[in-house]
Amino acid sequence: MKITTIILAAGKGTRMRSELPKILHKIANRPLLQHVYDMCQQLENNTIKIVYGHGADLVRESLQDLEAGWIEQKQQLGTGHAVQQVSDQIADAETVLILYGDVPLLKLTTVKQLTANVNDLSLALLTVNLENPTGYGRIVRDESGRVAKIVEEKDASSTEKLIKEGNTGIMAVQGGQLKKWLNRLTNNNVQGEYYLTDIIEMAVADGIAIVTSQPETVDEVLGVNNRIQLSHLERVYQLEQANYLMEQGVTLMDPARFDLRGSIEMLGIDIICDVNVIIEGKNSIGNNVKIGANTHIKNSIISDNVEILANCVIDNAVIGEGSKIGPYARLRPETVLAEHVHIGNFVEIKKSSIAASSKINHLSYIGDATVGAQVNIGAGTITCNYDGVNKFRTIIEDGAFIGSDTQLIAPVTIGKNATIGAGSTITKDSPENQLTLSRAKQVSIANWQRPVKHD
Ligand code: UD1
Ligand code: CA
């Protein structure tokens, strides 16, 4: 069966109190609408149409990569009016699935159930039993328990308001029938809107059965109307991801203090994450990796047996097997570390490759450098890679030893097994196997008197 999914996303979201259209607010760094889109993209034989309106330019610009039919609803005259905008693109024989762009955590299984319940004689409606259904349309059933209609909160009588079964707004319906009912909608109600929900009563009158189903959890059908609801769904989503990772063999010291804002495409086992770890973008993490508290990892590849100590920031970096990072290290984009590299506290590495078993343990800046294997870089070493206009490379060959507090003025090459004396400013290439240093001769003044204070 062919499916057309219509995602309603034209609303303003006044209660967000934001310049940003509601559907562009994010959960796990992904816009609300993108969550809905990604989920229904997994449906087979499905065409996606997005009805947008409020913040039209920004919405189109921000989500231009989404492959969908975009239909602008210039004036937001109600959910029925929104679906009417797509009417002429709906085929009679297909199933139309209606979703909301601000209900981000709806599950594929729930949606599949709905589409399976549709045929020429039945319409599928997703309802939810709520402790407090305030604000929701109520599902009105007849004496035999069959759905008779949906009444909006604002149009409901006091007895109808007691109904706990709410309308999620999500439904699936046969295309030809939907179009017929859409044509008959009026805005004769308290809000003066064209309610999509009015098609239920029309369907019943046409002898169509309303088949209801319910989501596994209420959170699945919650919409975002304000930032409190946004944060609630962020936590729900994060906990779902945390649970999934734990099932896959990851230890999280506290799943409530773990955030994945992206994906881990290759995931090893026996990874241990301390609290407040944030993982962003696309990553790969190998077996037996330890990640210390308060560490932020983004778009990085972390190989087996790596240990990252607390408070590191790792961005677009590759870390080779058995390497040890931190605490307080910063790996910036295009950092590539081979196996068993040690990067210690207050070390910043940018656009540099460091070969196997090299150590940069304290207070250094290594930028635009190619560092060989078994190199030892002493505390306070700085590659002076920038003259204020251009950037230059530093090459440090295998086995070199750089004494503490050294400035390497790029472009410069330190030869194989060279030793640089501490406190040097190196402006010229340093030959292999030799000791190179640039240091003023140390002098001591005998009989020197300390100044005394004048009255
Ligand atoms: C709607 C339902 C209500 C249900 C509730 C669930 C109707 C008449 N009522 O009410 O039964 O319990 O959702 O949350 O359908 N939208 C547009 N264009 C419009 C109006 C809305 O695209 O002209 C979009 C909104 O962006 C939103 C969705 O449709 O994503 C729902 O709109 P909203 O105004 O939140 O509907 P409710 O009044 O809450
Ligand atoms: Ca709503």
Side-chain angles (χ1 to χ4, degrees):
M1 178 64 98
K2 241 181 119 278
I3 301 172
T4 288
T5 299
I6 303 174
I7 306 177
L8 302 186
K12 182 158 191 272
T14 312
R15 282 178 285 156
M16 294 300 285
R17 293 187 173 273
S18 178
E19 293 281 330
L20 200 65
K22 179 162 75 177
I23 50 161
L24 294 182
H25 281 266
K26 290 172 177 174
I27 282 180
N29 211 23
R30 208 155 32 113
L32 298 177
L33 179 63
Q34 179 94 47
H35 281 266
V36 182
Y37 178 89
D38 290 347
M39 180 277 294
C40 64
Q41 244 219 340
Q42 298 172 58
L43 278 174
E44 278 158 38
N45 247 322
N46 182 27
T47 311
I48 301 174
K49 311 275 184 195
I50 300 170
V51 179
Y52 70 111
H54 182 76
D57 294 343
L58 195 54
V59 168
R60 284 305 300 277
E61 191 189 302
S62 310
L63 297 171
Q64 54 191 339
D65 292 344
L66 299 198
E67 261 181 57
W70 290 85
I71 297 105
E72 188 171 359
Q73 184 194 21
K74 289 221 162 69
Q75 264 187 303
Q76 284 91 60
L77 304 179
T79 50
H81 180 258
V83 177
Q84 279 171 349
Q85 310 307 303
V86 195
S87 245
D88 57 358
Q89 300 180 36
I90 295 170
D92 287 349
E94 69 186 1
T95 292
V96 178
L97 171 68
I98 292 161
L99 305 179
Y100 287 2
D102 58 359
V103 178
L105 303 191
L106 189 66
K107 291 219 158 52
L108 187 62
T109 48
T110 304
V111 159
K112 278 187 171 161
Q113 173 75 60
L114 277 179
T115 55
N117 285 346
V118 178
N119 60 48
D120 291 350
L121 296 172
S122 63
L123 181 158
L125 185 65
L126 190 65
T127 71
V128 60
N129 289 325
L130 297 159
E131 285 284 305
N132 175 11
T134 307
Y136 282 78
R138 305 298 206 285
I139 309 296
V140 180
R141 292 181 181 265
D142 65 17
E143 321 76 59
S144 51
R146 284 189 290 252
V147 175
K149 62 174 181 174
I150 297 175
V151 57
E152 288 306 295
E153 162 106 5
K154 287 186 177 134
D155 301 285
S157 66
S158 51
T159 37
E160 283 167 339
K161 279 188 183 145
L162 296 174
I163 299 170
K164 300 275 190 197
E165 188 180 10
N167 172 34
T168 65
I170 290 154
M171 61 175 90
V173 39
Q174 197 252 9
Q177 292 169 346
L178 174 66
K179 287 192 285 186
K180 180 178 67 183
W181 299 324
L182 284 175
N183 278 330
R184 307 202 321 236
L185 288 180
T186 66
N187 62 355
N188 248 329
N189 51 56
V190 172
Q191 302 187 77
E193 284 182 9
Y194 296 89
Y195 291 164
L196 180 64
T197 42
D198 285 351
I199 70 168
I200 301 301
E201 204 174 355
M202 297 179 196
V204 171
D206 283 354
I208 302 295
I210 312 298
V211 183
T212 57
S213 55
Q214 298 233 332
E216 216 172 286
T217 64
V218 173
D219 292 326
E220 233 189 282
V221 294
L222 291 183
V224 172
N225 296 300
N226 59 41
R227 296 191 201 229
I228 296 169
Q229 293 166 338
L230 182 69
S231 74
H232 171 70
L233 292 185
E234 174 81 39
R235 291 333 304 164
V236 169
Y237 185 75
Q238 290 299 347
L239 202 54
E240 265 174 26
Q241 295 190 122
N243 288 339
Y244 173 79
L245 291 177
M246 291 189 286
E247 280 163 8
Q248 301 304 306
V250 176
T251 294
L252 297 176
M253 299 309 287
D254 182 357
R257 284 181 287 170
F258 170 82
D259 290 82
L260 174 57
R261 300 174 189 158
S263 59
I264 306 173
E265 320 251 293
M266 302 270 292
L267 178 75
I269 57 167
D270 294 319
I271 295 163
I272 300 179
C273 264
D274 211 328
V275 300
N276 297 329
V277 169
I278 300 173
I279 299 176
E280 212 178 308
K282 279 189 184 169
N283 302 275
S284 151
I285 303 179
N287 296 319
N288 283 310
V289 169
K290 290 195 178 74
I291 305 175
N294 312 316
T295 285
H296 190 170
I297 297 171
K298 185 175 169 188
N299 296 325
S300 292
I301 297 172
I302 297 165
S303 312
D304 294 349
N305 306 315
V306 165
E307 186 173 4
I308 299 167
L309 300 173
N311 301 300
C312 291
V313 177
I314 295 165
D315 181 4
N316 277 279
V318 177
I319 304 178
E321 204 193 318
S323 290
K324 198 169 169 178
I325 315 296
Y328 298 101
R330 181 174 183 206
L331 305 184
R332 291 173 53 198
E334 294 180 59
T335 291
V336 179
L337 310 181
E339 306 78 53
H340 304 288
V341 167
H342 288 190
I343 304 295
N345 42 210
F346 308 108
V347 173
E348 173 181 351
I349 315 248
K350 185 216 78 169
K351 209 174 182 176
S352 296
S353 63
I354 319 282
S357 302
S358 288
K359 295 187 170 77
I360 311 170
N361 272 331
H362 325 271
L363 300 148
S364 289
Y365 172 60
I366 303 297
D368 302 304
T370 304
V371 177
Q374 310 260 358
V375 167
N376 196 315
I377 296 186
T381 296
I382 294 170
T383 53
C384 305
N385 58 330
Y386 186 51
D387 63 6
V389 185
N390 296 302
K391 299 228 165 97
F392 301 96
R393 292 201 72 79
T394 298
I395 295 168
I396 302 174
E397 294 178 348
D398 293 351
F401 179 98
I402 314 293
S404 297
D405 191 26
T406 291
Q407 301 91 55
L408 301 164
I409 315 290
V412 71
T413 297
I414 309 300
K416 207 169 164 182
N417 296 320
T419 300
I420 305 297
S424 294
T425 301
I426 301 295
T427 53
K428 287 179 285 198
D429 290 354
S430 306
E432 54 182 63
N433 297 317
Q434 295 183 22
L435 168 68
T436 299
L437 71 170
S438 78
R439 202 189 273 169
K441 270 227 159 65
Q442 182 168 326
V443 290
S444 301
I445 315 287
N447 306 321
W448 179 76
Q449 298 274 307
R450 280 192 185 174
V452 288
K453 197 170 171 76
H454 297 290
D455 296 320

